[in-house]
Amino acid sequence: MIVGFDYGSSNCAMGVMRDSQVTLVKLENNKHYLPSTLYAQHNALISDYVAHHLKQSDIEGFRQSRAHLLNAVPAIKRDLDLESSDTGISIGQAAIEEYIDFPEDGYFVKSPKSFFGAVGLKPQQIAFFEDIASTMIMQIKQRAEQQLGYELTHTVIGRPVNFQAIGGEESNQQAVSILTTAAKRAGFKEVEFLFEPLAAGVDFESDLTTDKKVLVVDIGGGTSDCSFVQMGPSFRDNACRNSDFLSHTGKRIGGNDLDIALAFHELTDFLGRDDKFKSGLPMPNQLFWQACKINDLQMQSDFYSDKNHRDLTAMLREIEQPERLQRLIKVQENKLSHRLVRQAELMKIALSADPQSHCDMSFIGKDLAKLITDVKLAEALENSLEQICILAEQAIQDAGTQPDVIYLTGGSAQSPLLKAALKQRLGDIEMLSGDNFGSVTAGLTKWAEKLFR
C-alpha cells in the first residue's frame, strides 16, 4: 500500500489516503508527529537492530559488512545488563527522555537527516548513517502498519532542495542514496522523492479555485527551501509538472540553526563566552560554537574530544572567572549540547507569543536562569533570517516573474520575525500560512497516490 513519508529534520510523519482525504498516521503516544531523534545505549546496538529486522535475503551481506560492530554486541549487552532480546534503542520522544535522564551514558542524535549530505564522510560514516536511518524508518513503518492493519510497500519521501550549503549535487546524491537504502531495508519496494516545498505546494494547490503564481517558503528543522510554482485548476491535473516549477532554491539553514544561533548569542555567556584570560586575551568564540553546533558532526566531535577536555581544564588556571568556564566543562563532560540548544528552542517558541521569557539553565548550575527578550531574539536571528530572505529573492529572480502569493510552511515559518523580514525584503505580497508541520506530509501523500495508482 501507498504512504507519503516526511522524514523531517525536526519531526517524522506519515500520511495515507482515505475517502479521497489525507489521514495522518499516529506514530507515538497517540500523536501524528514523532521527533526526529534516536537514542542508543551503545552505537553498535543500532547496527544490531538493523541486522535483526532485515529481510532474510539481505542479512548475510549486511552482517559481513558490519561484522566488527555485531561481534561486539553480546559483550556490550552484558556490560549494559541488557537481555539478548532488548534492543537498547529508543526513537522519538522516548529518545529525548532517555537522553535527558542519561546524557553521558549513550549515543543520542537529533535531526540525523541534517548529516546525510555532509561533505567528506568516510564509507564507515555513511554506513553508520544508513543504519541510523534504517532503524528509525523500520520502527516508524512498523508502527504505521500496526495501526493501519496492512503492509506499506510504496512511498514518496520528502527531500530538501539542497541537503548541504556546500557539496552541491554530490551531497544531494549521497543523502538520497542513504535514505533510499534505509527505506528499502525497512521493506519499501518502491521509493520516490519530492522536494519538500513542492509537496507543501501540492497540498496548498488542492484548494485553489483560480490559477496563481506561488512562492512556497518551507522552513524545516534543517533546511530552508523555496519553490516558485504555477498552481491552480489549469495545472494540478497535469501528469508532468516540470514546466510548472519555475525555480527552486535551498540551503542548509533551518529551525535548528535559529535555535543554535540563539543558544550561542544568549546562553553561552553563562559558560564564559565573554570572559578573558588573565593575559587580557578574550576566550575564543570557536569553543562556544562547537558546544552549540549540534548539526555539525565535525564541530561536535571536536568539542567532545579528549584533547578539548584537557585544553578546557588547563584554561581554568588562566581564566579570570573559572567558575563560568567550569560550566562549559560540565556541558562537555555530560554531553549537554542538545539540552542547551533545546532550551534555546523553547525560548524561541515562547518569544513568538510574549515579549520576554525566562530560560531555565538549572541543568548546568543551581538556580541559574536568564530573562530573554524578543529584541535579543531578533538580534540573535538576524543573520539567519537574512539568509532565508536571500533564498526567497533568488527564487523570484530565477523565475523571472513576481509571485501572486507567498505560502509559508514548516515549523519556523510562522515566526513573526521571519514574516516581517520577508515583507521588508519582498514588498507587500500576500502571505498565507499552511499547516506548520502537516502540509508537506499531505502533499507527499497526494503525490504518492497520483504516482503509484
Side-chain angles (χ1 to χ4, degrees):
M1 296 295 287
I2 300 166
V3 65
F5 184 18
D6 182 10
Y7 184 81
S9 297
S10 294
N11 294 283
C12 298
M14 281 186 166
V16 295
M17 296 298 294
R18 286 179 174 168
D19 300 324
S20 301
Q21 297 293 322
V22 175
T23 298
L24 298 186
V25 182
K26 293 177 181 178
L27 298 178
E28 182 180 52
N29 299 327
N30 214 33
K31 296 180 180 178
H32 299 125
Y33 303 104
L34 181 144
S36 300
T37 52
L38 178 145
Y39 182 91
Q41 293 186 41
H42 191 283
N43 59 4
L45 298 178
I46 300 171
S47 300
D48 184 59
Y49 184 93
V50 178
H52 279 87
H53 291 83
L54 274 175
K55 293 182 296 184
Q56 191 66 36
S57 58
D58 298 329
I59 288 177
E60 192 58 36
F62 181 83
R63 286 190 174 278
Q64 290 179 2
S65 67
R66 307 294 195 275
H68 64 291
L69 290 171
L70 299 178
N71 290 339
V73 167
I76 290 169
K77 287 193 171 183
R78 286 196 299 271
D79 290 343
L80 295 172
D81 200 25
L82 293 175
E83 298 291 336
S84 59
S85 58
D86 291 337
T87 66
I89 301 287
S90 302
I91 65 170
Q93 186 60 38
I96 295 172
E97 292 169 2
E98 285 286 311
Y99 167 70
I100 290 172
D101 289 340
F102 308 104
E104 72 282 1
D105 293 340
Y107 178 87
F108 179 75
V109 59
K110 177 183 178 182
S111 306
K113 189 174 75 169
S114 299
F115 301 104
F116 294 168
V119 175
L121 291 183
K122 299 176 182 177
Q124 60 266 35
Q125 291 175 307
I126 292 175
F128 186 52
F129 283 131
E130 287 175 350
D131 292 355
I132 289 172
S134 297
T135 296
M136 293 183 69
I137 295 174
M138 283 173 171
Q139 289 205 23
I140 292 168
K141 182 173 181 285
Q142 182 182 47
R143 294 180 188 191
E145 289 172 340
Q146 287 175 345
Q147 183 187 150
L148 296 169
Y150 52 76
E151 183 183 7
L152 298 173
T153 57
H154 294 61
T155 188
V156 173
I157 300 176
R159 55 153 290 186
V161 175
N162 289 305
F163 284 85
Q164 283 281 336
I166 57 176
E169 192 54 32
E170 185 176 346
S171 287
N172 291 334
Q173 290 175 4
Q174 174 181 285
V176 167
S177 175
I178 289 172
L179 283 169
T180 301
T181 297
K184 291 292 185 69
R185 285 178 177 163
F188 284 110
K189 296 179 175 62
E190 296 291 336
V191 180
E192 297 290 341
F193 291 87
L194 182 65
F195 288 146
E196 288 157 355
L198 291 183
V202 167
D203 183 49
F204 173 64
E205 185 180 39
S206 301
D207 297 323
L208 285 180
T209 56
T210 59
D211 292 343
K212 299 279 188 182
K213 291 178 290 185
V214 183
L215 176 64
V216 182
V217 180
D218 178 20
I219 314 299
T223 56
S224 292
D225 296 297
C226 300
S227 284
F228 202 132
V229 194
Q230 294 186 111
M231 297 183 183
S234 301
F235 303 100
R236 61 175 162 237
D237 292 329
N238 292 346
C240 179
R241 299 297 301 271
N242 290 345
S243 62
D244 303 337
F245 304 144
L246 304 183
S247 67
H248 306 288
T249 60
K251 191 172 185 180
R252 188 176 176 267
I253 180 172
N256 293 339
D257 297 275
L258 303 183
D259 304 334
I260 289 166
L262 183 59
F264 173 81
H265 288 289
E266 288 300 314
L267 302 185
T268 56
D269 55 346
F270 281 127
L271 312 179
R273 174 171 53 85
D274 297 326
D275 291 352
K276 294 182 178 180
F277 291 98
K278 293 174 183 177
S279 65
L281 293 173
M283 286 287 288
N285 276 347
Q286 182 75 354
L287 281 174
F288 303 95
W289 278 118
Q290 288 174 349
C292 296
K293 275 279 191 177
I294 60 172
N295 59 358
D296 189 304
L297 186 64
Q298 189 58 56
M299 292 186 82
Q300 285 279 278
S301 297
D302 291 343
F303 180 66
Y304 287 116
S305 68
D306 291 339
K307 179 183 182 301
N308 190 43
H309 185 268
R310 292 193 298 270
D311 291 344
L312 291 173
T313 303
M315 287 181 191
L316 286 172
R317 298 188 296 271
E318 306 297 332
I319 204 76
E320 290 181 347
Q321 294 180 279
E323 70 280 359
R324 289 154 65 92
L325 180 58
Q326 189 65 60
R327 293 172 185 157
L328 180 64
I329 293 174
K330 181 175 181 179
V331 171
Q332 200 264 357
E333 289 178 340
N334 294 283
K335 298 181 180 178
L336 296 174
S337 288
H338 284 276
R339 186 81 177 271
L340 183 70
V341 175
R342 172 59 175 165
Q343 292 308 110
E345 180 186 13
L346 294 174
M347 288 303 96
K348 181 190 71 176
I349 295 169
L351 291 169
S352 294
D354 298 308
Q356 61 183 33
S357 185
H358 280 89
C359 184
D360 179 11
M361 300 286 289
S362 58
F363 65 97
I364 59 172
K366 186 178 180 182
D367 299 325
L368 204 60
K370 184 175 184 180
L371 180 68
I372 302 178
T373 66
D374 53 2
V375 174
K376 289 295 185 182
L377 175 67
E379 291 174 355
L381 304 189
E382 182 179 5
N383 180 63
S384 297
L385 295 177
E386 170 74 8
Q387 294 183 61
I388 294 171
C389 289
I390 290 172
L391 285 177
E393 285 182 321
Q394 187 64 51
I396 293 173
Q397 181 179 327
D398 292 348
T401 185
Q402 286 292 306
D404 299 313
V405 63
I406 297 172
Y407 180 64
L408 299 169
T409 187
S412 296
Q414 309 313 317
S415 165
L417 292 174
L418 174 64
K419 291 180 179 180
L422 286 171
K423 184 173 183 178
Q424 182 178 8
R425 293 291 292 265
L426 304 181
D428 195 19
I429 302 172
E430 182 183 11
M431 289 189 193
L432 299 176
S433 298
D435 183 334
N436 293 359
F437 299 106
S439 294
V440 171
T441 311
L444 292 171
T445 304
K446 293 174 181 178
W447 193 260
E449 191 74 8
K450 179 181 290 189
L451 194 64
F452 292 125
R453 283 300 180 190

